[in-house]
Amino acid sequence: QVHVVESGGGLVQPGGSLRLSCAASGSSASITAMTWYRQAPGKQRELVAGITGGDTTNYADSVKGRFTISRDNAKLTVYLQMNNLRPEDTAVYYCKVDLGWPTWAGYWGQGTQVAVSS
């Protein structure tokens, strides 16, 4: 059983920063990608940022220049540094971990709430 646990959410004022963490455990399969998504109330879940095993990154246009994704392979952890937060960044942030051989499956965490408000 693969466990994916997010942490680091909270309430922050506009312009502030937060750092989210996502730790994976319970599998010996290789991690091919780790991706952050978010879902705001009444909206569909959307991709925020992702990073592959080769450290290729991609970002949603709305967060480029403000958010940075990174990973620590030894700790099976991915981070999302969020700077210059805006009220529209308010959402539940989810982490998805994609495993390669021999599992070839994706696993989601329970999410962490981020609220940006004055």
Side-chain angles (χ1 to χ4, degrees):
Q1 182 68 30
V2 177
H3 295 280
V4 179
V5 179
E6 304 100 333
S7 61
L11 174 63
V12 63
Q13 292 185 340
S17 298
L18 282 175
R19 188 194 194 206
L20 305 183
S21 299
C22 167
S25 62
S27 174
S28 60
S30 61
I31 294 176
T32 57
M34 302 180 82
T35 309
W36 286 99
Y37 292 79
R38 67 186 180 188
Q39 187 165 19
K43 295 188 177 181
Q44 291 187 333
R45 191 171 297 189
E46 63 175 359
L47 184 145
V48 177
I51 186 167
T52 68
D55 287 337
T56 299
T57 59
N58 64 292
Y59 296 91
D61 288 342
S62 59
V63 307
K64 283 181 180 176
R66 300 188 298 124
F67 291 10
T68 303
I69 190 170
S70 61
R71 63 188 284 174
D72 183 329
N73 292 327
K75 295 181 179 180
L76 302 181
T77 299
V78 64
Y79 305 97
L80 185 67
Q81 178 65 44
M82 306 187 294
N83 298 327
N84 192 20
L85 283 161
R86 304 168 180 168
E88 53 264 39
D89 294 318
T90 296
V92 178
Y93 283 69
Y94 297 92
C95 177
K96 182 173 183 265
V97 176
D98 290 299
L99 300 181
W101 185 90
T103 306
W104 301 112
Y107 296 87
W108 292 89
Q110 294 298 308
T112 185
Q113 176 72 53
V114 171
V116 184
S117 175
S118 56

